[in-house]
Amino acid sequence: MTMPSAIDTITIRRPDDWHVHLRDGAMLAAVLPFTAAQFARAIIMPNLTPPITTIEAARAYRERILAALPPGANFQPLMTCYLTDHTDPDEIAQGYAEGVWVAAKLYPAGATTNAHHGVTDLANIGGVLARMERIGMHLLIHGESTDPEVDIFDRESVFIERTLIGLLRAHPGLRIVLEHITTEGAADFVRAHANQCAATITPHHLLINRTSLFQGGLRPHLYCLPVAKRERHRLALRRAATSGDACFFLGTDTAPHPAGAKEAACGCAGCFVAPTALACYAQVFDEENALANLEKFASLNGPAWYGLPPNEARVTLRRATSRQPAEIALGDERVVIFRGDEPLAWSLS
Ligand code: NCD
Ligand code: ZN
């Protein structure tokens, strides 16, 4: 980590968040304002219960998101389709042609929260992938091996070796986003295949390593998937995010859960990072003396990858201490905020 730079304010095009879990119902209403306040557009993950697998379900979910927006908010949800073993290539292509969804999400079955309806074998979606390749529709991947024999800290690298390399070869025209990368190997792989592959990087994977999960005791609110890795991987992710390289862009993977579901004998995976996301990213870029590249990562590389125009509006971030609450209320429950109740060096004005 280098010394923070002398820059005290930075104005960039309004950012987008290319990986968001907004959930539904009361949770959606509680968390959406944080994302909409910072980001103009977001790719909405489809892992609801039941998952968003049809055009009709995606349309209805999009309407629920728009209805939950605070008055005056300027925010566009970009929907995705959850792939299963039974996904119909025609449904995928029709939803894409109608502009209902912009991408499809591949969860290897059981890889993460609400992934049990995911794909058990890529062979089952060969026709879907071929169609997506033909029509130019993007594939977003939760890149972790689900082989129970594989150590949890190796699941991303094993997925790349055993699955992703073959997938790129089998579908050379398919555009792939490897979501929330956590390893040096993944960053290197994406860089080496940048014509076909891009990656999102979360704020938390830039700030914590696997030791943070056990700092002074078990920290359930830092547990997400893919799980944070060793320090050398965190440093490699920092280099990737702050490089300005077109293949890396912002995706918070904000994944809220009621505190009770995380502070449990078998706590679930996901960090609620939306409220502090932009401040966290700015801090990282500042510490890496790379504020000049923040706009590329947050506001330019993502739209360019998806073939969308960058946002015209500008936002200004200031070096001024801010603080979010420790948690938000959700009925009788609460949702704990990543880096909540801690001083943040940067604020959005
Ligand atoms: C996500 C969730 O809770 O939906 N959890 C997580 O740890 N990131 C699912 C996911 O993106 O893996
Ligand atoms: Zn996610």
Side-chain angles (χ1 to χ4, degrees), residues 19 21 23 47 105 107 112-113 142 180 223-226 253 255-257 269-271:
H19 185 124
H21 301 269
R23 315 303 192 202
N47 62 333
K105 176 75 190 242
Y107 291 103
T112 186
T113 308
H142 183 106
H180 40 51
Y223 173 56
C224 68
L225 288 172
D253 192 23
H257 292 277
C271 299

